[in-house]
Amino acid sequence: MAEALRVGIAGLGNVGASVARVLRDKAAELTRQCGRDVIVTAVSARDQKRDRGVDISAATWFDDPVEMAQIAEIDVFVELIGGDEGPARLSVKAALEAGRHVVTANKALLAKHGVALAEIAEKRGVLLNYEAAVAGGIPVIKTMREAMAGNSVTRVFGILNGTCNYILTRMEAEGISFDACLKDAQRLGYAEADPTFDIEGHDTAHKLSILTSLAFGTRIAANDIYMEGISNISQADIRAAGDLGYRIKLLGVAQRTDSGIEQRVHPTMVPTASVIAQVHGVTNAVAIETDILGELLLSGPGAGGNATASAVIGDIADIAKSRPGFQHGPVFGRPAKELKPYKKAQMRSHAGGYFIRLTVHDRIGVFAAIAKRMADNDISLESIVQHAVNGEAAAQKTVILVTHETTEAAVRKAVDGITKDGHLTDKPQVIRIERAG
Ligand SMILES: NC(=O)c1ccc[n+]([C@@H]2O[C@H](COP(=O)([O-])OP(=O)(O)OC[C@H]3O[C@@H](n4cnc5c(N)ncnc54)[C@H](OP(=O)(O)O)[C@@H]3O)[C@@H](O)[C@H]2O)c1
């Protein structure tokens, strides 16, 4: 049998401790699958005294993950610390430069420094594997990097944040407000004490930027993503969506267009009958659309110690199965030096259907004025419905418009016009409609 693969784990929190535990519990199975033993020889975290729920006493302890990254006694450095700078970045860089394979679950690090790190890995002829960084346990990186050769991706989109999907699912199922759902999510441990990063779309954007690079062979451009979170989605939107045959999901979407690549994260209406609309709670899903394959949808657990550990261990096993001298495939599907610059498609040229919900004064001429603003901007309407606001028969009305395909620029101009006309009693709500099978 080949020599054992020696693993060093930096970070023994939620994911790191799960990885150590599964490597111990499934040692015999992994040996059979990989043709060699996989053993943890070194570990690093901040607090050596903390009980990790797994016996790590046989591994050498390091206070400094950068030091551990460079020792000769490991073949693979597994980074599970988190953060886009500091010890995570320094240790991954040091490990790659020292010729160690690296496995990481760190989307923030890859979104910011992925291409630079890939260049080092490819120069040193080692692997940089990151399956767990996007959609947790779902093997989407492997699928895009290895199983779709020859396919040209036209669009990739997904539910990439379990916290947002949990909140939207409960808002719809139980008719409760965003704030009440968020509080519950925090109590149950599905949302952080400071939830901004998740609910405003940043986490989804990090993951999307990695998928965009794999899909279109472009350099990662995490700062060039149009982003709207879910904090202003109300029960009125959820009910109206349901009446119209839609469900609201926070999607990350990357799409090739004539003018470049769109990268956008926003609440989206998807047809209730579509497969992605059936993805509930903390579950994640990624849809990939290509010229040869058509549409593929992968769904499963997007977070949690064990699910994430499953992806990390899959990455470690790939390294265990690779043989010395074997030429590894490039980190983002194409050699890092050949990744093209990201050409951004302007959001204002985005084409699609739109849902527009307006709360207006109930007076003569308002309906006609709205219809005129739409017509002036060449927006054709699929439906227009008006009804009283919460039984307040007199003062205000809700007008709900669904457009046929139009552009973002046209919708913004029309809604600005309606706002200037002075008929609105509340902020207008605009939600994009996404085509989904
Ligand atoms: N949790 C998930 O469901 C999930 C899903 C997908 C991806 N990820 C990614 O996985 C990574 C880890 O997440 P997690 O949830 O496991 O985080 P976590 O529970 O906060 O664990 C972080 C670990 O890093 C250690 N650490 C922090 N600073 C360190 C330093 N300077 N030197 C050495 N060790 C240090 C901590 O040590 P102490 O324990 O001693 O404090 C802790 O063990 C992140 O990149 C995250 O984005 C997580």
mmCIF file of all heavy atoms in Angstrom, residues 11-16 44-47 50 52 63 65 79-83 87 105-107 132-133 136 302-305 308, ligand 1:
data_model
loop_
_atom_site.group_PDB
_atom_site.id
_atom_site.type_symbol
_atom_site.label_atom_id
_atom_site.label_comp_id
_atom_site.label_asym_id
_atom_site.label_seq_id
_atom_site.Cartn_x
_atom_site.Cartn_y
_atom_site.Cartn_z
ATOM 1 N N GLY A 11 -7.840 25.079 12.373
ATOM 2 C CA GLY A 11 -9.216 25.455 12.690
ATOM 3 C C GLY A 11 -9.974 24.216 13.106
ATOM 4 O O GLY A 11 -10.130 23.272 12.315
ATOM 5 N N LEU A 12 -10.388 24.187 14.380
ATOM 6 C CA LEU A 12 -11.085 23.002 14.913
ATOM 7 C C LEU A 12 -12.438 23.419 15.473
ATOM 8 O O LEU A 12 -12.840 23.014 16.550
ATOM 9 C CB LEU A 12 -10.235 22.338 16.011
ATOM 10 C CG LEU A 12 -8.922 21.719 15.532
ATOM 11 C CD1 LEU A 12 -8.025 21.376 16.719
ATOM 12 C CD2 LEU A 12 -9.185 20.469 14.684
ATOM 13 N N GLY A 13 -13.123 24.286 14.736
ATOM 14 C CA GLY A 13 -14.456 24.740 15.161
ATOM 15 C C GLY A 13 -15.510 23.787 14.630
ATOM 16 O O GLY A 13 -15.300 22.570 14.550
ATOM 17 N N ASN A 14 -16.632 24.386 14.248
ATOM 18 C CA ASN A 14 -17.746 23.626 13.695
ATOM 19 C C ASN A 14 -17.311 22.610 12.646
ATOM 20 O O ASN A 14 -17.586 21.411 12.757
ATOM 21 C CB ASN A 14 -18.636 24.656 12.992
ATOM 22 C CG ASN A 14 -20.058 24.507 13.382
ATOM 23 O OD1 ASN A 14 -20.509 23.398 13.639
ATOM 24 N ND2 ASN A 14 -20.742 25.621 13.424
ATOM 25 N N VAL A 15 -16.629 23.100 11.614
ATOM 26 C CA VAL A 15 -16.261 22.235 10.487
ATOM 27 C C VAL A 15 -15.011 21.421 10.807
ATOM 28 O O VAL A 15 -14.978 20.197 10.586
ATOM 29 C CB VAL A 15 -16.044 23.071 9.198
ATOM 30 C CG1 VAL A 15 -15.721 22.160 8.024
ATOM 31 C CG2 VAL A 15 -17.274 23.921 8.895
ATOM 32 N N GLY A 16 -13.981 22.083 11.343
ATOM 33 C CA GLY A 16 -12.704 21.404 11.595
ATOM 34 C C GLY A 16 -12.856 20.200 12.518
ATOM 35 O O GLY A 16 -12.304 19.118 12.253
ATOM 36 N N SER A 44 -4.150 22.789 14.469
ATOM 37 C CA SER A 44 -3.919 24.130 15.001
ATOM 38 C C SER A 44 -5.261 24.805 15.275
ATOM 39 O O SER A 44 -6.202 24.662 14.494
ATOM 40 C CB SER A 44 -3.120 24.969 13.987
ATOM 41 O OG SER A 44 -3.023 26.308 14.428
ATOM 42 N N ALA A 45 -5.349 25.467 16.416
ATOM 43 C CA ALA A 45 -6.508 26.318 16.731
ATOM 44 C C ALA A 45 -5.995 27.329 17.759
ATOM 45 O O ALA A 45 -4.780 27.378 18.034
ATOM 46 C CB ALA A 45 -7.672 25.507 17.257
ATOM 47 N N ARG A 46 -6.881 28.133 18.330
ATOM 48 C CA ARG A 46 -6.408 29.140 19.289
ATOM 49 C C ARG A 46 -6.239 28.559 20.677
ATOM 50 O O ARG A 46 -5.255 28.799 21.355
ATOM 51 C CB ARG A 46 -7.388 30.311 19.337
ATOM 52 C CG ARG A 46 -7.150 31.321 18.238
ATOM 53 C CD ARG A 46 -8.174 32.409 18.298
ATOM 54 N NE ARG A 46 -9.534 31.886 18.225
ATOM 55 C CZ ARG A 46 -10.571 32.575 17.771
ATOM 56 N NH1 ARG A 46 -10.414 33.817 17.373
ATOM 57 N NH2 ARG A 46 -11.776 32.038 17.730
ATOM 58 N N ASP A 47 -7.244 27.738 21.098
ATOM 59 C CA ASP A 47 -7.276 27.301 22.491
ATOM 60 C C ASP A 47 -7.000 25.799 22.586
ATOM 61 O O ASP A 47 -7.857 24.968 22.295
ATOM 62 C CB ASP A 47 -8.673 27.630 23.052
ATOM 63 C CG ASP A 47 -8.815 27.245 24.510
ATOM 64 O OD1 ASP A 47 -7.853 26.681 25.078
ATOM 65 O OD2 ASP A 47 -9.887 27.515 25.077
ATOM 66 N N ARG A 50 -9.432 23.547 24.852
ATOM 67 C CA ARG A 50 -10.853 23.334 24.562
ATOM 68 C C ARG A 50 -11.128 21.898 24.111
ATOM 69 O O ARG A 50 -10.375 21.333 23.310
ATOM 70 C CB ARG A 50 -11.299 24.315 23.468
ATOM 71 C CG ARG A 50 -12.786 24.224 23.177
ATOM 72 C CD ARG A 50 -13.227 25.299 22.213
ATOM 73 N NE ARG A 50 -13.050 26.636 22.772
ATOM 74 C CZ ARG A 50 -13.175 27.762 22.081
ATOM 75 N NH1 ARG A 50 -13.452 27.714 20.797
ATOM 76 N NH2 ARG A 50 -13.022 28.928 22.659
ATOM 77 N N ARG A 52 -12.756 19.329 21.923
ATOM 78 C CA ARG A 52 -13.254 19.377 20.543
ATOM 79 C C ARG A 52 -14.207 18.224 20.245
ATOM 80 O O ARG A 52 -14.629 18.044 19.099
ATOM 81 C CB ARG A 52 -12.080 19.315 19.557
ATOM 82 C CG ARG A 52 -10.954 20.302 19.857
ATOM 83 C CD ARG A 52 -11.314 21.700 19.428
ATOM 84 N NE ARG A 52 -10.350 22.698 19.924
ATOM 85 C CZ ARG A 52 -10.439 23.989 19.669
ATOM 86 N NH1 ARG A 52 -11.453 24.439 18.959
ATOM 87 N NH2 ARG A 52 -9.570 24.826 20.150
ATOM 88 N N ASP A 63 0.213 26.361 17.796
ATOM 89 C CA ASP A 63 -0.527 27.601 18.067
ATOM 90 C C ASP A 63 -0.602 28.430 16.794
ATOM 91 O O ASP A 63 -1.537 29.205 16.604
ATOM 92 C CB ASP A 63 0.187 28.429 19.143
ATOM 93 C CG ASP A 63 -0.013 27.820 20.530
ATOM 94 O OD1 ASP A 63 -1.101 27.256 20.771
ATOM 95 O OD2 ASP A 63 0.929 27.890 21.342
ATOM 96 N N PRO A 65 -0.878 28.555 12.804
ATOM 97 C CA PRO A 65 -1.193 27.761 11.606
ATOM 98 C C PRO A 65 -0.198 27.987 10.459
ATOM 99 O O PRO A 65 0.003 27.095 9.630
ATOM 100 C CB PRO A 65 -2.596 28.250 11.201
ATOM 101 C CG PRO A 65 -2.785 29.570 11.873
ATOM 102 C CD PRO A 65 -1.932 29.555 13.095
ATOM 103 N N GLU A 79 -7.459 24.223 5.624
ATOM 104 C CA GLU A 79 -7.725 25.512 6.281
ATOM 105 C C GLU A 79 -9.201 25.640 6.604
ATOM 106 O O GLU A 79 -10.040 25.737 5.691
ATOM 107 C CB GLU A 79 -7.252 26.659 5.371
ATOM 108 C CG GLU A 79 -7.365 28.035 6.005
ATOM 109 C CD GLU A 79 -8.764 28.647 5.852
ATOM 110 O OE1 GLU A 79 -9.279 28.685 4.717
ATOM 111 O OE2 GLU A 79 -9.331 29.074 6.882
ATOM 112 N N LEU A 80 -9.528 25.654 7.903
ATOM 113 C CA LEU A 80 -10.917 25.790 8.352
ATOM 114 C C LEU A 80 -11.004 26.844 9.454
ATOM 115 O O LEU A 80 -11.686 26.664 10.466
ATOM 116 C CB LEU A 80 -11.447 24.424 8.816
ATOM 117 C CG LEU A 80 -11.439 23.366 7.692
ATOM 118 C CD1 LEU A 80 -11.639 21.970 8.235
ATOM 119 C CD2 LEU A 80 -12.488 23.697 6.636
ATOM 120 N N ILE A 81 -10.252 27.932 9.234
ATOM 121 C CA ILE A 81 -10.221 29.038 10.206
ATOM 122 C C ILE A 81 -11.271 30.080 9.810
ATOM 123 O O ILE A 81 -12.069 30.543 10.625
ATOM 124 C CB ILE A 81 -8.814 29.683 10.236
ATOM 125 C CG1 ILE A 81 -7.768 28.664 10.695
ATOM 126 C CG2 ILE A 81 -8.804 30.922 11.127
ATOM 127 C CD1 ILE A 81 -6.329 29.136 10.528
ATOM 128 N N GLY A 82 -11.265 30.455 8.540
ATOM 129 C CA GLY A 82 -12.212 31.463 8.043
ATOM 130 C C GLY A 82 -11.591 32.851 7.991
ATOM 131 O O GLY A 82 -10.537 33.103 8.577
ATOM 132 N N GLY A 83 -12.238 33.744 7.222
ATOM 133 C CA GLY A 83 -11.752 35.130 7.084
ATOM 134 C C GLY A 83 -10.938 35.289 5.811
ATOM 135 O O GLY A 83 -10.266 34.352 5.372
ATOM 136 N N PRO A 87 -4.695 34.924 9.557
ATOM 137 C CA PRO A 87 -4.078 33.583 9.574
ATOM 138 C C PRO A 87 -4.554 32.686 8.437
ATOM 139 O O PRO A 87 -3.774 31.857 7.948
ATOM 140 C CB PRO A 87 -4.498 33.010 10.931
ATOM 141 C CG PRO A 87 -5.610 33.870 11.427
ATOM 142 C CD PRO A 87 -5.438 35.210 10.793
ATOM 143 N N ALA A 105 -12.506 25.570 3.048
ATOM 144 C CA ALA A 105 -13.965 25.790 2.929
ATOM 145 C C ALA A 105 -14.246 27.288 2.897
ATOM 146 O O ALA A 105 -15.388 27.705 3.051
ATOM 147 C CB ALA A 105 -14.668 25.152 4.127
ATOM 148 N N ASN A 106 -13.197 28.077 2.682
ATOM 149 C CA ASN A 106 -13.253 29.510 2.943
ATOM 150 C C ASN A 106 -13.625 30.335 1.696
ATOM 151 O O ASN A 106 -12.764 30.738 0.919
ATOM 152 C CB ASN A 106 -11.871 29.917 3.475
ATOM 153 C CG ASN A 106 -11.846 31.294 4.039
ATOM 154 O OD1 ASN A 106 -12.669 32.133 3.686
ATOM 155 N ND2 ASN A 106 -10.895 31.545 4.911
ATOM 156 N N LYS A 107 -14.942 30.603 1.540
ATOM 157 C CA LYS A 107 -15.403 31.345 0.342
ATOM 158 C C LYS A 107 -14.907 32.787 0.356
ATOM 159 O O LYS A 107 -14.614 33.363 -0.693
ATOM 160 C CB LYS A 107 -16.921 31.320 0.232
ATOM 161 C CG LYS A 107 -17.655 31.870 1.447
ATOM 162 C CD LYS A 107 -18.631 30.882 1.994
ATOM 163 C CE LYS A 107 -18.903 31.109 3.459
ATOM 164 N NZ LYS A 107 -19.606 30.041 4.102
ATOM 165 N N ALA A 132 -16.149 22.693 -0.329
ATOM 166 C CA ALA A 132 -17.040 23.127 0.756
ATOM 167 C C ALA A 132 -17.299 24.631 0.756
ATOM 168 O O ALA A 132 -18.179 25.110 1.474
ATOM 169 C CB ALA A 132 -16.441 22.713 2.101
ATOM 170 N N ALA A 133 -16.540 25.377 -0.059
ATOM 171 C CA ALA A 133 -16.679 26.837 -0.026
ATOM 172 C C ALA A 133 -17.982 27.318 -0.679
ATOM 173 O O ALA A 133 -18.445 28.417 -0.402
ATOM 174 C CB ALA A 133 -15.480 27.491 -0.716
ATOM 175 N N GLY A 136 -21.858 24.313 0.661
ATOM 176 C CA GLY A 136 -21.549 23.304 1.686
ATOM 177 C C GLY A 136 -21.340 21.904 1.162
ATOM 178 O O GLY A 136 -20.353 21.623 0.471
ATOM 179 N N GLY A 302 -26.451 22.979 2.654
ATOM 180 C CA GLY A 302 -25.462 23.976 2.286
ATOM 181 C C GLY A 302 -24.555 24.397 3.431
ATOM 182 O O GLY A 302 -23.642 25.192 3.249
ATOM 183 N N ALA A 303 -24.810 23.886 4.622
ATOM 184 C CA ALA A 303 -23.976 24.259 5.771
ATOM 185 C C ALA A 303 -24.119 23.197 6.855
ATOM 186 O O ALA A 303 -24.804 22.189 6.668
ATOM 187 C CB ALA A 303 -24.396 25.625 6.303
ATOM 188 N N GLY A 304 -23.442 23.466 7.976
ATOM 189 C CA GLY A 304 -23.475 22.516 9.092
ATOM 190 C C GLY A 304 -22.187 21.723 9.109
ATOM 191 O O GLY A 304 -21.613 21.437 8.054
ATOM 192 N N GLY A 305 -21.731 21.389 10.317
ATOM 193 C CA GLY A 305 -20.435 20.724 10.484
ATOM 194 C C GLY A 305 -20.288 19.482 9.624
ATOM 195 O O GLY A 305 -19.352 19.380 8.821
ATOM 196 N N THR A 308 -20.616 19.992 5.665
ATOM 197 C CA THR A 308 -19.443 20.692 5.141
ATOM 198 C C THR A 308 -18.222 19.779 5.209
ATOM 199 O O THR A 308 -17.408 19.734 4.280
ATOM 200 C CB THR A 308 -19.221 22.005 5.922
ATOM 201 O OG1 THR A 308 -20.473 22.696 5.986
ATOM 202 C CG2 THR A 308 -18.196 22.891 5.255
HETATM 203 N N1 LIG B 1 -20.051 26.297 9.573
HETATM 204 C C1 LIG B 1 -20.509 25.971 8.369
HETATM 205 O O1 LIG B 1 -21.611 25.409 8.241
HETATM 206 C C2 LIG B 1 -19.694 26.249 7.147
HETATM 207 C C3 LIG B 1 -20.193 25.888 5.877
HETATM 208 C C4 LIG B 1 -19.419 26.114 4.742
HETATM 209 C C5 LIG B 1 -18.187 26.737 4.874
HETATM 210 N N2 LIG B 1 -17.744 27.111 6.117
HETATM 211 C C6 LIG B 1 -16.434 27.760 6.212
HETATM 212 O O2 LIG B 1 -15.577 26.942 7.004
HETATM 213 C C7 LIG B 1 -14.653 27.764 7.710
HETATM 214 C C8 LIG B 1 -14.728 27.445 9.203
HETATM 215 O O3 LIG B 1 -16.026 27.682 9.658
HETATM 216 P P1 LIG B 1 -16.526 27.209 11.127
HETATM 217 O O4 LIG B 1 -17.996 27.415 11.135
HETATM 218 O O5 LIG B 1 -15.977 25.880 11.434
HETATM 219 O O6 LIG B 1 -15.831 28.330 12.045
HETATM 220 P P2 LIG B 1 -15.615 28.299 13.627
HETATM 221 O O7 LIG B 1 -16.523 27.322 14.268
HETATM 222 O O8 LIG B 1 -15.652 29.725 14.070
HETATM 223 O O9 LIG B 1 -14.113 27.744 13.783
HETATM 224 C C9 LIG B 1 -12.992 28.510 13.486
HETATM 225 C C10 LIG B 1 -11.775 27.806 14.035
HETATM 226 O O10 LIG B 1 -10.611 28.541 13.683
HETATM 227 C C11 LIG B 1 -9.758 28.642 14.814
HETATM 228 N N3 LIG B 1 -8.950 29.846 14.711
HETATM 229 C C12 LIG B 1 -9.360 31.137 14.715
HETATM 230 N N4 LIG B 1 -8.306 31.968 14.644
HETATM 231 C C13 LIG B 1 -7.210 31.166 14.627
HETATM 232 C C14 LIG B 1 -5.820 31.417 14.574
HETATM 233 N N5 LIG B 1 -5.340 32.652 14.540
HETATM 234 N N6 LIG B 1 -4.995 30.360 14.587
HETATM 235 C C15 LIG B 1 -5.456 29.105 14.623
HETATM 236 N N7 LIG B 1 -6.759 28.797 14.675
HETATM 237 C C16 LIG B 1 -7.621 29.820 14.668
HETATM 238 C C17 LIG B 1 -10.687 28.666 16.020
HETATM 239 O O11 LIG B 1 -9.962 28.245 17.166
HETATM 240 P P3 LIG B 1 -10.628 28.085 18.622
HETATM 241 O O12 LIG B 1 -11.671 26.995 18.468
HETATM 242 O O13 LIG B 1 -9.536 27.668 19.511
HETATM 243 O O14 LIG B 1 -11.236 29.404 18.954
HETATM 244 C C18 LIG B 1 -11.768 27.657 15.572
HETATM 245 O O15 LIG B 1 -11.386 26.346 15.931
HETATM 246 C C19 LIG B 1 -15.017 29.212 7.339
HETATM 247 O O16 LIG B 1 -14.229 29.655 6.279
HETATM 248 C C20 LIG B 1 -16.464 29.108 6.906
HETATM 249 O O17 LIG B 1 -16.846 30.136 6.002
HETATM 250 C C21 LIG B 1 -18.470 26.886 7.246
#
